[in-house]
Amino acid sequence: MELFNLGKVPWDRSQLIYHALGELNREALSLVSPATPYVCLGFHQNVDVEVDLEYCRSQGIPVFRREVGGGAVFLDGRQLFFQLVLRKNNPLVPLGMEAFYRKFLEPVIQVHRRLGIPAEYRPINDLAANGRKISGTGAGHIGDSAVFVGNLILDFDYDTMARVLKVPDEKFRDKVHKTIRENLSTIRAELGPKAADLPDETGLNAMLAEEFSKVLGPFTPGRMDAELEAMMRTLGRKMLPESWLHRRGKRVNGRQVKVRAGLEVLHRVHKAKGGLIRVDRTVEDGRFRDVDISGDFFVQPKDAITRLELFLEGRPAADVRSLLADFQANHDFDLPGVTIEDWLAVLE
Amino acid sequence: MEIQGYNLPDDLYYDADHYWCKLEGGLIVMGMNDFAQKLAGEIVFVQLPFEGKKIQTGKKFAKVESGKWVGKVMGPVDGEIAASNQALETNPKLINQDCYGQGWMYKIKPDDPGKIDALTHGADKIRSWLLADIERYKKG
């Protein structure tokens, strides 16, 4: 299997290389990091919904749609990417998703542990240290290959991450910023003062290569040959134009930002007969957190909405219909023109 | 029939990636089988190609995302898309809830309906094929 230990590369090559290796069915591990920052969009996301393109353009931050799932992320040179490309039918590739991630996250766990960070696998595709996510990963089929990608996060620019996302208002942005900061850690943050002893990029990539070879066998040096360059050019012509970026993605109701598996920040607006209802909320491991309801509906007494917010706090989001029925049956309030169906439109 | 917790009707035809097919009024109806939907987890997006899109045996014509994975859907036969299940646009989870019914994915107008015979079919063949994949799955 080939090893492309390339270090810093132009931002577009940090994406095109694994797409090209996948299309060419060349089994390889690629270790790269972008020389300049960019935003990377999940395969089925709508760029107009997810990313503040105007801001990105004003700051010269390119936006790229990858052929791997997940959410929009801000990537820069303080993140080191590992990109594994294996033939779909390679016996090393487990059939089940969890087994796949568990197997190929193991080398990444070992690198963190060698650095002194107690990283652990968290199903299905997260790596956590001291309760916080510490690496982002994704996978998919490209060509006839199974591709696994992820990053070592040395430092993370939380401010720019929250800034490049498209948000309904600044309050939502603050919420996203706070939630990401609370739930995503970095290698430097975990190491604290010991970060001064952290190996440089070359050293970290050498550790990654060594740990991955324990799972994959020995590597041969990868060659940026004519075939690979030609495929990267071909894919660049397809994936770098605006038309690819603006492909239609999945339909989403309102705005939702996934921070990690099981943690989402959501915003929804719904026009009920009795007025506009707007709800900001977080769903953490299936439970409501920080439900914030506002709008221009009439409600008497005024504190009924605060009581509903408190009532929902910590309760299972999947039970929302019965929770709302329960609240309505046991609380005395008047909310004309707003039915349980209206509440479900913003809370389900 | 039920095989180690996976429901695989024995009157359907299956491709190697665990999509099922059946002939219905000259069209091939296609969807994800129970083994695949259980392995994939919650389906979050399905590409729904427009009517008339040409498809080829073994060539990708759509993608499916399960949150943890973006997978490809390959043409089971040569032909063209006659319909995509538009209900999946707003509710892709129908695949998890009812993969052989409301969660159907595509209807294909085959160039040669007889080509469906190249897919795995018949109770014995389905059983041995699925057991081999379950074994592979268990091994990890």
Side-chain angles (χ1 to χ4, degrees), chain A residues 35-55:
Chain A
T36 55
Y38 63 103
V39 172
C40 192
L41 193 70
F43 185 61
H44 292 127
Q45 290 189 297
N46 272 313
V47 69
D48 297 318
V49 174
E50 304 289 339
V51 179
D52 186 339
L53 280 175
E54 206 175 311
Y55 175 78

Side-chain angles (χ1 to χ4, degrees), chain A residues 261-277:
Chain A
L263 179 60
E264 288 183 317
V265 184
L266 301 103
H267 164 92
R268 274 198 206 155
V269 177
H270 170 71
K271 182 93 184 89
K273 216 184 246 178
L276 198 73
I277 314 172

Side-chain angles (χ1 to χ4, degrees), chain A residues 49 54 99 143 253 257 282 296 335:
Chain A
V49 174
E54 206 175 311
N253 183 355
V257 174
T282 301
D296 61 4
L335 190 50

Side-chain angles (χ1 to χ4, degrees), chain A residues 44 67 101 141 143 247 250, chain B residues 47 63 65 68 70 72:
Chain A
H44 292 127
E67 246 189 281
Y101 279 111
H141 286 152
R247 276 167 64 106
K250 63 184 155 199
Chain B
Q47 256 182 349
K63 288 201 163 199
E65 182 174 346
K68 312 292 170 205
V70 176
K72 292 180 168 186

Side-chain angles (χ1 to χ4, degrees), chain A residues 255-289:
Chain A
R255 186 74 181 92
Q256 64 190 72
V257 174
K258 186 171 164 185
V259 174
R260 61 157 168 82
L263 179 60
E264 288 183 317
V265 184
L266 301 103
H267 164 92
R268 274 198 206 155
V269 177
H270 170 71
K271 182 93 184 89
K273 216 184 246 178
L276 198 73
I277 314 172
R278 154 202 167 123
V279 172
D280 287 283
R281 67 194 151 103
T282 301
V283 175
E284 186 174 6
D285 301 323
R287 292 180 182 272
F288 285 118
R289 301 273 177 229

